[in-house]
Amino acid sequence: MHDLDLLSRYAIPGQLRFRATPAGLAFADIDNPAGTASVCLQGAHLTTFRPKSQPEPVVWLSDAARLLPGKSIRGGVPVCWPWFGAHPSDSRLPAHGFARTVPWDVIDSGASAGVTHITLQLRPTAATRAQWPHDTPLTLRISVGDTLDMALTTRNASAGALPLSEALHTYFQVGDVAQVELLGLDGCTYLDKTEAFARRQQHGAVRFSGETDRVYVGTHSECVIHDPLLQRRIRIAKQGSASTVVWTPWEDKAAAMGDFTAHGWRQMVCVESANAADDSLVLQPGQTHTLQVRYSAEAL
Ligand code: BG6
């Protein structure tokens, strides 16, 4: 549980305020002249983002999302850490790690040049130490303006080298996933999770006509979602990320997952900036790594 009185020292009048839901989750709501966003302190999970230049949100949240203690949220920007996907050796541990389902602390906030920022730090608990018995301070800085900037920083403060895989698992809002094109991955190699991780090569833009679940490896360049229905382009720029994960569940899988509405899956596509599979990291003692993204939208 977060204490709203303690959080109030990070509030910024007219730009950043904190609230608690009846279910007991705390949120930071940001609203400035350039953009709006909400961040759930459980998971440091950004749930919404809309630049004020856009009529529609850029980050999608399922209408059926369950905002409950200990549960991952369908939509927004889940933080997958310290492993991406299945745990490399222990199948009892949760997919995508534990960072997205535990409380984080707010450690900083501020405003400058039309941008409001908040920094959160993962709060280790006995339950997280049981899954990851290492000293690795983790912070996420979120900056909201006309663009959304996020920086996920891991420091290895332990005595040994540590394996790390991670992602900012962002759900982008689109008019209809069947009509969008994803540019920026032409020629890249990907592992196809729908075909037992078969290695394939991308030719041209990515188009969607069924369940798609791919880890593109060795890719650092910007991706662009071209959306003819919403008449806009979303740009996804990144640093410190060598993999791009592209995921859409399509109809049957979305129905089985339960936290999608009947047609909700059509209004999203995940383009995740990651270090996963071939690009998983090894952090040496004392080493710091930052995965950074910038999301922006412009009219076609
Ligand atoms: C993607 C994975 O990153 O996340 C998919 O590649 C997975 O395999 C999807 O289904 C959603 O994961 P979760 O754990 O949030 O349901």
Side-chain angles (χ1 to χ4, degrees):
M1 254 317 245
H2 288 90
D3 182 329
L4 288 185
D5 285 341
L6 289 177
L7 287 169
S8 64
R9 60 183 285 221
Y10 295 105
I12 303 172
Q15 290 200 33
L16 170 58
R17 67 183 191 96
F18 294 93
R19 69 182 153 93
T21 66
L25 295 182
F27 279 80
D29 293 326
I30 294 174
D31 190 349
N32 64 33
T36 64
S38 289
V39 180
C40 182
L41 272 45
Q42 171 175 287
H45 192 132
L46 182 132
T47 52
T48 60
F49 166 63
R50 184 175 68 81
K52 292 205 174 153
S53 57
Q54 293 293 311
E56 297 282 343
V58 164
V59 172
W60 176 89
L61 177 66
S62 174
D63 287 339
R66 286 168 287 178
L67 305 177
L68 295 171
K71 299 276 176 224
S72 60
I73 298 170
R74 183 66 59 203
V77 187
V79 176
C80 303
W81 185 96
W83 58 87
F84 175 82
H87 186 275
S89 57
D90 188 345
S91 58
R92 292 165 305 172
L93 294 178
H96 293 330
F98 52 80
R100 61 179 176 165
T101 53
V102 300
W104 291 48
D105 292 320
V106 178
I107 59 167
D108 189 30
S109 68
S112 64
V115 173
T116 312
H117 68 84
I118 182 169
T119 304
L120 300 101
Q121 183 169 45
L122 183 86
R123 186 194 302 165
T125 62
T128 64
R129 286 195 191 93
Q131 300 179 49
W132 179 255
H134 310 294
D135 185 11
T136 48
L138 176 69
T139 60
L140 180 67
R141 180 181 162 109
I142 300 172
S143 305
V144 177
D146 187 46
T147 65
L148 173 66
D149 289 70
M150 303 180 85
L152 181 70
T153 300
T154 308
R155 184 162 65 86
N156 182 359
S158 72
L162 292 174
L164 176 71
S165 57
E166 58 183 351
L168 292 173
H169 186 312
T170 307
Y171 291 73
F172 290 100
Q173 176 134 351
V174 295
D176 179 357
V177 66
Q179 295 188 43
V180 303
E181 284 186 337
L182 177 61
L183 309 168
L185 296 168
D186 187 17
C188 293
T189 298
Y190 64 87
L191 307 178
D192 192 335
K193 290 175 83 171
T194 67
E195 289 187 60
F197 291 88
R199 216 166 256 271
R200 308 253 184 256
Q201 199 184 8
Q202 181 66 38
H203 299 288
V206 184
R207 297 186 185 83
F208 303 94
S209 55
E211 182 189 356
T212 304
D213 194 353
R214 302 175 179 174
V215 183
Y216 288 82
V217 292
T219 164
H220 300 83
S221 52
E222 179 178 275
C223 283
V224 174
I225 301 171
H226 177 94
D227 186 339
L229 270 188
L230 295 186
Q231 281 285 298
R232 72 179 182 189
R233 218 177 262 128
I234 295 176
R235 292 190 182 277
I236 302 156
K238 60 179 188 163
Q239 282 179 7
S241 156
S243 326
T244 300
V245 180
V246 178
W247 179 62
T248 170
W250 222 255
E251 190 166 10
D252 292 349
K253 189 150 193 187
M257 291 178 112
D259 39 16
F260 283 93
T261 59
H263 301 290
W265 61 273
R266 276 196 174 271
Q267 266 83 57
M268 53 126 310
V269 64
C270 285
V271 181
E272 310 166 33
S273 297
N275 290 300
D278 304 12
D279 305 311
S280 295
L281 303 167
V282 176
L283 282 194
Q284 298 302 322
Q287 192 183 346
T288 295
H289 175 82
T290 299
L291 188 169
Q292 262 176 282
V293 295
R294 166 167 288 185
Y295 305 141
S296 56
E298 67 206 29
L300 286 182

